[in-house]
Amino acid sequence: MSVEKVSVVIVQLRYQYRIALTPGQRIRAARVFGCRRVVWNDALAVQKLRKASNKLLGNPKARLAEGPYQPVPKNAELGKTLITAAKKSAEREFLSDAPVGVMQQTLRDLDGAWKAHEDSKTGNRRGPKVAPPRFKSKKDNRQTARFTRSDRFSVTDGGRLRLPKIGEVRVKWSRDLPSAPSSVTLIKDCSGRYWVSFVVETDPAADMLPPTDRDQGIDLGLDRFAVLADGSQIASPKYLRRAEKKLKKRQRELSRKKKGSSNRDKARIKVARAHAKVADSRRNFHHQWSHKLTRENQAVFTETLNVRGGLARTRLAKSVHDAGWAQFVTFCEYKAIRRGRSSAKVARDFPSSQICSACGYCDGPKPLHIRAWTCANCGTRHDRDWNAGRNVLHEGRRIRAADTTAPPTPGPGASRR
């Protein structure tokens, strides 16, 4: 009798909620942030010193009178010296104000930062180069602390979150957690708001949608946020442009305050809140449309955007930032994966604005001010953006037909919406 093994795929997602802290809890949270910062800086100082001395020892021209090559200390060694032993000293006894698990997680986060830096240098990490870890300052506007299961955080029957060394905090539950969280991160953003981010494990089959025969090509722009292959459009909300007057006023108030004063800090928070409102509105807009498109279509095709090229043009940089194309495309990709849909990007050099979607004739490049044109081959009159959306759809179908691999499963850290 043979037993067939069934593989179970588990997906990690993040659920983020706003929380309200009392004045006393804010003080205790600040202590936890401070302890985490001190452990990070102490560990980074030890590692940088050891790396610098080893680098000199590896240089045949360097003459050192002391010490052979020594490996960079591991987390276990750093934890004994910088956490356990340090708490017994008068200089670092305040480390008892933070859970041990938070400080141990800080050492693991520092290891991850070094690994990302080394992988980016050797080419094992895609994307731009990652700078080495830097020392943290108490003046940093964004603070975080991650609590793991070893810290024994819990959600009470009354719906409050119990965090060690901080207490029971009120959470604005916008949706239920699908399972017990494995970790929770306490976040203080630049505008002074507090959040908690839970990492939970879910079954990907629960989010799958029944298949449909519809697909969609998307041409992203600035004047109109998106023009779809079916002829519909998504108007550009231009949240940053609409908030410019208020942002300029807040920025002028900040520039007139004396540096280092409490009034300047209050003015800085007002500026941060104005920017946070713009970012939140843009993110909500992207979530709504990416949700709608991935729910109604089996496949969603977009362009491979040259965002850096758009930012290099000072005349378009603010509008490109305001549109937030990269965030929208990312939302479409991970939501398509979670729902059993597919997504694809056409190549950056694909001439979507030059090809006639009716006959396939390439009419050559056109300046941006030409918004409509007539095909020289078949005489079809085209709207530039709608024609590009149809070409993206045709190219996306070709890419999808050529791709025989199964859709990937979402990895750890995928957002939940």
Side-chain angles (χ1 to χ4, degrees):
M1 180 177 177
S2 62
V3 179
E4 184 179 354
K5 293 183 179 180
V6 179
S7 60
V8 179
V9 180
I10 299 298
V11 177
Q12 288 186 329
L13 300 175
R14 284 192 179 274
Y15 282 65
Q16 186 165 301
Y17 304 88
R18 181 85 179 269
I19 62 173
L21 300 183
T22 64
Q25 289 173 342
R26 293 185 181 185
I27 294 174
R28 293 192 288 273
R31 291 173 181 166
V32 173
F33 293 145
C35 294
R36 181 183 182 276
R37 182 181 65 250
V38 168
V39 172
W40 174 285
N41 290 343
D42 289 349
L44 184 58
V46 172
Q47 291 177 345
K48 281 196 169 185
L49 182 62
R50 188 67 57 84
K51 285 175 179 287
S53 62
N54 290 340
K55 187 175 181 180
L56 286 176
L57 286 170
N59 184 0
K61 296 182 180 180
R63 296 181 179 178
L64 295 181
E66 52 181 343
Y69 178 89
Q70 295 180 349
V72 177
K74 302 295 184 181
N75 283 347
E77 181 183 349
L78 290 174
K80 290 179 182 178
T81 57
L82 301 181
I83 300 176
T84 306
K87 286 195 293 186
K88 300 177 182 179
S89 64
E91 186 181 0
R92 291 285 188 264
E93 62 180 357
F94 60 83
L95 293 179
S96 301
D97 294 334
V100 176
V102 171
M103 294 183 285
Q104 290 175 341
Q105 183 61 44
T106 300
L107 298 177
R108 290 192 287 269
D109 292 342
L110 181 58
D111 270 355
W114 277 117
K115 185 177 186 305
H117 170 62
E118 297 296 337
D119 288 347
S120 68
K121 288 198 307 182
T122 57
N124 294 330
R125 180 187 175 94
R126 296 177 60 185
K129 298 295 182 182
V130 178
R134 65 172 183 85
F135 291 103
K136 295 184 180 294
S137 170
K138 63 180 179 181
K139 295 182 180 179
D140 290 343
N141 297 325
R142 190 176 187 274
Q143 303 284 345
T144 62
R146 187 187 305 177
F147 298 81
T148 57
R149 285 174 178 165
S150 63
D151 296 314
R152 297 183 180 180
F153 66 89
S154 61
V155 179
T156 64
D157 295 335
R160 296 201 172 197
L161 174 64
R162 182 183 292 113
L163 295 175
K165 302 292 185 179
I166 295 178
E168 294 184 1
V169 301
R170 288 186 299 142
V171 183
K172 297 182 180 179
W173 299 102
S174 55
R175 55 193 181 273
D176 295 332
L177 290 172
S179 61
S182 59
S183 69
V184 58
T185 304
L186 177 64
I187 304 169
K188 180 185 178 184
D189 64 13
C190 299
S191 59
R193 300 178 300 179
Y194 290 87
W195 307 81
V196 284
S197 178
F198 296 95
V199 175
V200 296
E201 294 181 348
T202 62
D203 182 7
D207 295 321
M208 295 293 181
L209 295 177
T212 179
D213 57 353
R214 297 182 57 184
D215 52 6
Q216 194 65 266
I218 306 174
D219 177 69
L220 298 171
L222 297 177
D223 188 26
R224 293 173 290 185
F225 178 75
V227 177
L228 308 182
D230 59 7
S232 57
Q233 322 177 4
I234 303 176
S236 181
K238 300 181 180 179
Y239 293 110
L240 181 61
R241 296 288 185 180
R242 285 157 51 184
E244 268 187 325
K245 186 175 180 181
K246 184 176 182 180
L247 286 170
K248 288 180 180 179
K249 180 181 177 182
R250 297 298 187 205
Q251 198 68 47
R252 281 197 301 267
E253 292 174 354
L254 174 63
S255 64
R256 292 168 182 166
K257 306 300 181 185
K258 184 179 179 181
K259 290 186 177 181
S261 65
S262 58
N263 284 336
R264 183 179 178 86
D265 191 53
K266 293 176 184 178
R268 182 199 60 78
I269 292 177
K270 288 183 179 180
V271 172
R273 286 178 178 172
H275 280 286
K277 185 176 180 180
V278 173
D280 292 345
S281 301
R282 184 189 299 116
R283 189 182 305 109
N284 184 60
F285 171 78
H286 290 163
H287 270 303
Q288 289 178 341
W289 276 104
S290 59
H291 173 83
K292 178 179 174 63
L293 291 170
T294 54
R295 177 172 286 274
E296 295 178 352
N297 300 280
Q298 184 64 30
V300 177
F301 308 115
T302 58
E303 302 170 282
T304 301
L305 302 169
N306 184 15
V307 178
R308 288 189 176 183
L311 296 177
R313 302 182 180 182
T314 38
R315 188 168 54 87
L316 299 177
K318 187 179 291 186
S319 297
V320 172
H321 275 299
D322 198 6
W325 295 326
Q327 179 176 256
F328 173 74
V329 172
T330 301
F331 287 176
C332 287
E333 287 176 342
Y334 89 78
K335 289 182 182 182
I337 294 173
R338 284 186 48 217
R339 292 170 177 164
R341 309 305 200 196
S342 60
S343 64
K345 292 181 181 179
V346 302
R348 182 179 295 182
D349 57 353
F350 176 69
S352 59
S353 299
Q354 304 177 23
I355 300 175
C356 173
S357 58
C359 67
Y361 177 74
C362 186
D363 209 12
K366 301 166 187 64
L368 286 177
H369 70 271
I370 297 179
R371 309 313 303 169
W373 56 282
T374 303
C375 177
N377 185 46
C378 64
T380 305
R381 184 71 176 173
H382 292 295
D383 174 271
R384 181 191 183 109
D385 296 332
W386 180 42
N387 178 72
R390 289 179 61 84
N391 286 327
V392 169
L393 175 61
H394 297 157
E395 179 68 8
R397 286 174 176 172
R398 187 193 65 79
I399 295 173
R400 185 185 177 195
D403 185 13
T404 58
T405 59
T409 55
S415 300
R416 168 76 181 190
R417 178 71 181 193

